[in-house]
Amino acid sequence: MTYQETLDWMFAQLPMFQQQGASAYKKDLTNTILLSEHLGNPEKKLKFIHVAGTNGKGSTSSMIASVLQEAGYKVGLYTSPHLKDFRERIKINGNEISQEFVVDFIADNKSFFEVNQLSFFEMTVGLAFDYFAKEKVDVAVVEVGMGGRLDSTNIITPLVSVITNIGFDHTQFLGDTLEVIAGEKAGIIKPNVPVVVGEYTPETKPVFLAKAAACGSDIYFASDLIQEDYPCGLLGDYQFHNKKTVLQTIDVLKEHFIVSEESLKRGLLNVVSNTGLLGRWQQIHSNPKVICDTAHNSHGLKIVLNQIAKEKYEKLFFVLGVVNDKDLDSILPLFPKNANYFFCKPNIFRGLDAEELREKASVFELKGKVYNSVSEAYNEALEVAGKNDFIYIGGSTFVVAEIV
């Protein structure tokens, strides 16, 4: 198969959670362990940093990878989902895995995938670990897909476990209280492996403390530390907490790697060019100013909307789309009423119908029109906005993916 045919097969035959939702979710590590054994247990040949959390996983993973890259190490980076191309998920020192490696890996293991009915995510985790082992990376930074305890990535024993924060997202899988969700995320804590927690609440801190104690793991709460606020290539207000998490993690990792102050500074500053991370308070146009951001749950959107409120503009426009399992009652009240909304549906199976979104938004006094596509909504917003106005594109990773 060609590269495109390979991707089509992966996406169509073995559904991916990002596209299909609940039908693609597996609450079990059996298949991942089976695949790992089939591949010769590549994860046992690697050093890992494991990153979980409700928001900020991608940014935190990318910053850690960038710092270690600047320190001279060969760094694998596994993140999800991708925005444009599947290969964004698997990188070494910012370079995406080759199309040839993806094609060959699927071709070599296709019958195994079919017999064992592996999910898209299970296959992709196996691909990443196999690639990193064959390329002999010094360390791999691995972002959890969803949750932690039962996530396919959770067959690894890392040098450090990182949990960025806990908020409400994917509650149908992870639970509907902060304590229960924290318990799922804390599932990545391993015996005698230090853990760094970015942000905590009165509900989640005891969960982390109990799990760390049970595992004999040292625990560090990054938000409690007073640290210098280094400049960073990622500009969203929420990066303040992510940076503290990164600084604490790098400090723990100094037992294993040599990281100078200069490497730390350069790693944070050059994170976008070093890792290719997109869609985090990313400006794509001036006059009017246009910002894209992948924040998609109440925890992330609160921070982003507060940041928008600090901007100077004459009129405010939102190009807004969501997926159909989003809890609209928790996110729509956060949006300002004195803005113009351009409602659209991201072009995936899980995209929520734009008319349905408009009707729900009107309940919260958010007014706007419906458009046939994300690009049509954005082009119309650009057409009507003046040079001193502000346009925000978001609500879903998949809305941003169609623009950046």
Side-chain angles (χ1 to χ4, degrees), residues 59-366:
S59 296
T60 299
S61 298
S62 295
M63 282 189 264
I64 292 168
S66 180
V67 169
L68 292 172
Q69 193 176 318
E70 289 284 0
Y73 295 99
K74 186 175 185 179
V75 185
L77 177 61
Y78 176 80
T79 57
S80 63
H82 60 271
L83 285 180
K84 292 294 190 186
D85 184 353
F86 168 79
R87 295 183 303 136
E88 293 167 30
R89 294 167 179 254
I90 303 169
K91 298 176 181 176
I92 296 175
N93 283 10
N95 299 310
E96 294 174 358
I97 188 173
S98 69
Q99 292 187 7
E100 291 75 19
F101 197 101
V102 176
V103 169
D104 290 346
F105 179 83
I106 296 299
D108 290 345
N109 299 287
K110 189 163 175 272
S111 60
F112 180 87
F113 297 148
E114 289 173 331
V115 168
N116 294 287
Q117 296 186 301
L118 265 72
S119 73
F120 171 90
F121 197 78
E122 287 161 348
M123 283 192 292
T124 307
V125 168
L127 169 62
F129 293 176
D130 188 60
Y131 180 61
F132 293 152
K134 283 177 176 162
E135 290 294 318
K136 295 181 168 60
V137 298
D138 296 314
V139 62
V141 183
V142 172
E143 177 192 349
V144 166
M146 181 168 59
R149 182 174 64 92
L150 297 171
D151 187 75
S152 294
T153 62
N154 203 30
I155 62 168
I156 64 177
T157 300
L159 301 174
V160 59
S161 304
V162 181
I163 301 170
T164 57
N165 51 53
I166 302 297
F168 291 105
D169 202 12
H170 305 305
T171 52
Q172 69 271 47
F173 305 117
L174 304 180
D176 56 7
T177 69
L178 292 177
E179 291 95 333
V180 172
I181 297 170
E184 289 296 313
K185 309 282 186 189
I188 70 164
I189 301 173
K190 304 293 193 308
N192 304 309
V193 173
V195 56
V196 173
V197 174
E199 301 170 77
Y200 62 85
T201 67
E203 298 94 337
T204 63
K205 188 174 186 179
V207 177
F208 297 136
L209 286 170
K211 178 68 175 182
C215 287
S217 302
D218 292 335
I219 186 165
Y220 303 85
F221 292 97
S223 56
D224 289 346
L225 301 171
I226 299 168
Q227 291 169 319
E228 188 178 342
D229 186 20
Y230 295 99
C232 182
L234 299 171
L235 301 176
D237 282 359
Y238 48 79
Q239 301 301 355
F240 173 76
H241 290 293
N242 292 335
K243 275 189 287 183
K244 292 186 90 164
T245 306
V246 170
L247 292 171
Q248 178 62 72
T249 303
I250 294 296
D251 198 51
V252 172
L253 286 170
K254 284 179 179 173
E255 184 181 330
H256 305 277
F257 303 102
I258 299 167
V259 181
S260 69
E261 184 83 356
E262 192 53 38
S263 296
L264 182 61
K265 288 179 180 176
R266 282 201 314 268
L268 293 174
L269 210 50
N270 300 332
V271 57
V272 175
S273 57
N274 280 347
T275 67
L277 185 67
L278 299 171
R280 274 66 173 182
W281 196 261
Q282 180 182 351
Q283 184 169 347
I284 60 168
H285 195 278
S286 300
N287 305 316
K289 185 174 183 178
V290 180
I291 294 290
C292 284
D293 196 278
T294 56
H296 57 273
N297 52 46
S298 57
H299 183 274
L301 283 166
K302 275 176 192 167
I303 302 169
V304 166
L305 291 165
N306 283 339
Q307 187 164 358
I308 291 172
K310 297 177 200 168
E311 292 281 335
K312 290 184 168 57
Y313 52 78
E314 288 180 5
K315 289 181 184 171
L316 178 59
F317 300 87
F318 284 89
V319 175
L320 192 65
V322 298
V323 292
N324 58 20
D325 56 2
K326 197 53 57 187
D327 179 10
L328 296 179
D329 290 325
S330 73
I331 64 170
L332 289 176
L334 304 173
F335 285 86
K337 296 179 176 65
N338 61 340
N340 299 294
Y341 288 85
F342 296 70
F343 298 109
C344 51
K345 172 184 178 290
N347 188 27
I348 61 163
F349 179 80
R350 287 171 63 217
L352 180 69
D353 180 75
E355 178 58 38
E356 198 175 325
L357 176 59
R358 186 197 67 77
E359 287 174 10
K360 187 70 175 175
S362 68
V363 173
F364 298 97
E365 299 176 54
L366 308 180

